[in-house]
Amino acid sequence: MKIFVCLDETGGMLFNKRRQSSDRIIRENMLEMVGENPLYVNGYTAKQFTEEEAERIVIDEDCLVNGKDRYIFVENMTIGEYLPEIEQVVVYRWKRKYPADFFFDIDLTSSDWEFISSEEFVGHSHECIGKEIYQKKSKI
């Protein structure tokens, strides 16, 4: 499975059960990356998509279960238990620190992950958004 996640500079995802921020340019970028494939989200995440964007998503509260070969945007779920199935993680980084009480639970700096690429772009609501792609290393 391929995971998309938005993080602040401390790895935070949520504060008081609410997303820290959102940006329509990130959603456009995700949908461009998945191509003709659907983007899986849960009901909480689906609320940020416009009607037009919603035609490209699949709402599934258990989107991580049997997630092999899926593209999944995660905002309010821990994913560590699905680590064996995760092939790639695309991190969009807010270039700031927000209050957070829910954090991303995978260490992408571990030897299990290979940093593939990074870029920065101007978002709709953020002057600078970082995008990092990590690929799981093959076990030999």
Side-chain angles (χ1 to χ4, degrees):
M1 84 179 70
K2 295 178 181 169
I3 300 292
F4 295 94
V5 63
C6 295
L7 305 176
D8 73 2
E9 290 180 347
T10 65
M13 297 170 68
L14 299 170
F15 179 66
N16 200 22
K17 298 182 182 177
R18 291 188 212 142
R19 74 180 55 88
Q20 295 173 325
S21 190
S22 67
D23 192 286
R24 72 175 186 201
I25 305 299
I26 288 176
R27 292 191 305 273
E28 290 171 9
N29 189 271
M30 278 186 239
L31 292 172
E32 183 179 308
M33 284 190 71
V34 303
E36 296 298 315
N37 298 295
L39 177 64
Y40 285 80
V41 299
N42 64 13
Y44 174 81
T45 298
K47 293 175 188 173
Q48 72 171 286
F49 286 83
T50 66
E51 272 187 50
E52 183 179 309
E53 293 168 334
E55 295 174 10
R56 304 271 319 279
I57 65 172
V58 173
I59 302 169
D60 180 355
E61 294 305 319
D62 294 319
C63 58
L64 294 165
V65 177
N66 299 317
K68 187 172 171 48
D69 299 322
R70 287 184 177 178
Y71 294 87
I72 304 171
F73 179 21
V74 174
E75 285 190 292
N76 62 345
M77 299 179 281
T78 57
I79 61 173
E81 69 183 277
Y82 301 98
L83 195 54
E85 295 178 45
I86 299 172
E87 304 163 19
Q88 186 179 74
V89 178
V90 178
V91 178
Y92 295 96
R93 289 208 191 267
W94 311 123
K95 295 291 187 164
R96 57 182 73 156
K97 293 179 185 175
Y98 287 112
D101 57 11
F102 187 84
F103 295 87
F104 190 59
D105 64 335
I106 292 180
D107 179 8
L108 296 172
T109 65
S110 79
S111 61
D112 295 332
W113 294 95
E114 179 180 5
F115 174 77
I116 301 298
S117 67
S118 69
E119 66 180 279
E120 291 184 343
F121 57 91
V122 176
H124 177 72
S125 59
H126 293 76
E127 290 180 17
C128 184
I129 296 173
K131 177 182 173 183
E132 304 164 2
I133 301 176
Y134 297 86
Q135 191 79 28
K136 186 180 279 180
K137 290 182 181 176
S138 301
K139 300 279 184 185
I140 297 175

